[in-house]
Amino acid sequence: MKNENHQKADALGDNHIGTSVKTPLRSDAFVKTDDQKIEAISFHYQKIMEELGLDLTDDSLSGTPYRVAKMYVKELFSGLDPKNKPKISVFDNKYEYNKMLVESNITFNSSCEHHFLPIVGKAHIGYISSGKVIGLSKMNRIVQYFGRRPQVQERMTMQIFNELKTALQTDDVIVVVEAEHLCVSTRGVNDKSSKTTTLEYGGQFSDTQIRNDFFKMI
């Protein structure tokens, strides 16, 4: 008999939900070291592979549980740990550039939190300085940081938006995220051509003309 969680998952199906702007984390999420997490994940992933009927004595498979565990902790989901958050440096806008600044086509890889399958896409960011500017590469690092965790695209968009608003001390920020979800293209409906687009903005970008100027630039 299916337990309650399995029944909820079946009832939800492929419906796309998110419960919070913050990534859901337990209070003890960072008690263990990275090495301890890798060891534990490796053990459990081995059990998953064995349940699938794979022969882990084969040279090609024997190291897979460790490789997957290391990849989860050190790469794909490294954005869960606050110690990996990029240091965000902002500077006074001494050259008094007061028009829109746009960085487009910031590539990222994330993971759908419902199936742990890849989300592959691009982010486009714009802001109007209220006296502070941010290094261009820092915007890439912010996108990558929030992408490297199990995600819902709407949440990721809002997390990037909120981080930039806080760093730049302005509401004049806009974020667009376009992505392909492999949970759509490789399973379920198996749609190979669709993409998902999300948008968050505030301040001067609430003005339709300014927003349209941004869209023309990307």
Side-chain angles (χ1 to χ4, degrees), residues 23-216:
T23 301
L25 287 169
R26 298 199 322 266
S27 59
D28 63 347
F30 308 110
V31 171
K32 289 183 178 180
T33 66
D34 284 356
D35 287 343
Q36 289 172 325
K37 289 182 178 182
I38 289 170
E39 183 178 356
I41 294 170
S42 179
F43 171 81
H44 291 293
Y45 205 82
Q46 177 178 330
K47 297 302 179 184
I48 291 172
M49 294 178 68
E50 288 172 348
E51 288 295 335
L52 291 172
L54 294 169
D55 180 4
L56 270 76
T57 64
D58 185 272
D59 288 343
S60 179
L61 296 177
S62 60
T64 297
Y66 170 74
R67 286 190 292 265
V68 170
K70 184 179 178 182
M71 175 183 67
Y72 278 0
V73 174
K74 297 292 189 180
E75 297 178 88
L76 295 189
F77 303 138
S78 61
L80 288 171
D81 195 332
K83 77 172 185 290
N84 296 321
K85 185 176 182 180
K87 184 178 180 181
I88 307 302
S89 301
V90 295
F91 310 93
D92 292 335
N93 185 7
K94 293 182 178 179
Y95 31 85
E96 298 182 356
Y97 179 77
N98 59 6
K99 301 298 190 295
M100 187 189 313
L101 184 146
V102 175
E103 185 169 6
S104 58
N105 297 314
I106 302 171
T107 58
F108 71 87
N109 293 285
S110 189
S111 301
C112 163
E113 69 180 36
H114 300 135
H115 296 95
F116 272 37
L117 285 172
I119 302 171
V120 181
K122 295 180 179 180
H124 314 284
I125 293 171
Y127 75 90
I128 300 170
S129 175
S130 64
K132 299 292 183 182
V133 294
I134 189 171
L136 296 179
S137 67
K138 298 302 183 184
M139 289 190 278
N140 298 66
R141 294 184 187 280
I142 289 171
V143 170
Q144 292 168 1
Y145 173 68
F146 287 110
R148 288 173 179 165
R149 57 179 69 182
Q151 271 292 16
V152 174
Q153 185 173 324
E154 297 93 324
R155 178 197 295 134
M156 179 179 169
T157 305
M158 295 177 70
Q159 288 175 335
I160 295 168
F161 173 76
N162 290 335
E163 186 68 22
L164 287 167
K165 278 205 319 176
T166 299
L168 290 163
Q169 302 171 34
T170 181
D171 290 331
D172 301 331
V173 175
I174 186 167
V175 177
V176 174
V177 176
E178 303 174 300
E180 176 190 354
H181 293 240
L182 268 70
C183 61
V184 174
S185 64
T186 64
R187 55 159 303 280
V189 72
N190 281 291
D191 186 330
K192 309 297 183 185
S193 61
S194 65
K195 68 177 180 179
T196 301
T197 302
T198 46
L199 167 69
E200 188 62 53
Y201 58 83
Q204 295 186 57
F205 288 100
S206 298
D207 182 285
T208 302
Q209 183 57 57
I210 294 176
R211 203 160 62 249
N212 286 339
D213 288 344
F214 168 79
F215 292 140
K216 289 176 184 177

Side-chain angles (χ1 to χ4, degrees), residues 15-26:
N15 291 330
H16 190 65
I17 63 166
T19 56
S20 171
V21 175
K22 292 184 177 181
T23 301
L25 287 169
R26 298 199 322 266

